[in-house]
Amino acid sequence: MSETTSIQERALSAEHPLAFFINGYGDNYLNLPALRALGRLFEGRLTFVCRQGPHLFCFEDLPINRRITLDARFNGQDYQFDAVAAAAEIGHCDLFLSLVPWCSPSLSNLLETWGS
């Protein structure tokens, strides 16, 4: 078995996968096909983390385990949020799938919280 196959198999067998997509409205709509595919790939196990807003109506039909909305604030470059509170609400995550084109101290802190 190749290393790539092993990584793919481990990813697909994740029990607590998470799709993180805190973006602007347009980016969220562009991510919709990917989110639908991930929802079906990890049906019954996937957690979505997104920001609050009226755009959430289009995600109602996605086959997910749960959806967590964060109060994320755009500062002109990226989004800031309370990473410690987010990690506590999310709980265990064994596969983090980021659909964001940015990195921020909040996002780094979220990943570090799980790493500790």
Side-chain angles (χ1 to χ4, degrees):
M1 178 185 312
S2 73
E3 183 177 339
T4 302
T5 302
S6 176
I7 292 169
Q8 290 171 345
E9 288 175 354
R10 284 186 301 179
L12 290 174
S13 66
E15 293 180 24
H16 304 282
L18 180 143
F20 185 89
F21 61 102
I22 294 177
N23 292 311
Y25 295 133
D27 289 333
N28 282 343
Y29 288 120
L30 290 173
N31 280 327
L32 197 51
L35 293 169
R36 285 191 175 126
L38 289 172
R40 285 173 180 70
L41 190 61
F42 296 105
E43 194 159 358
R45 297 177 284 157
L46 187 63
T47 296
F48 282 172
V49 175
C50 56
R51 68 184 180 102
Q52 300 171 341
H55 65 287
L56 293 178
F57 72 91
C58 68
F59 302 124
E60 294 299 323
D61 67 331
L62 298 174
I64 61 173
N65 180 35
R66 66 187 175 134
R67 180 180 64 209
I68 296 172
T69 56
L70 299 180
D71 181 21
R73 307 278 182 203
F74 187 66
N75 66 9
Q77 294 180 309
D78 55 40
Y79 287 88
Q80 300 296 315
F81 57 90
D82 184 340
V84 174
E89 185 172 355
I90 292 165
H92 183 66
C93 170
D94 56 359
L95 179 64
F96 185 84
L97 303 164
S98 176
L99 298 174
V100 300
W102 50 266
C103 187
S104 73
S106 296
L107 185 55
S108 296
N109 290 342
L110 176 63
L111 296 174
E112 288 172 10
T113 299
W114 283 317
S116 56

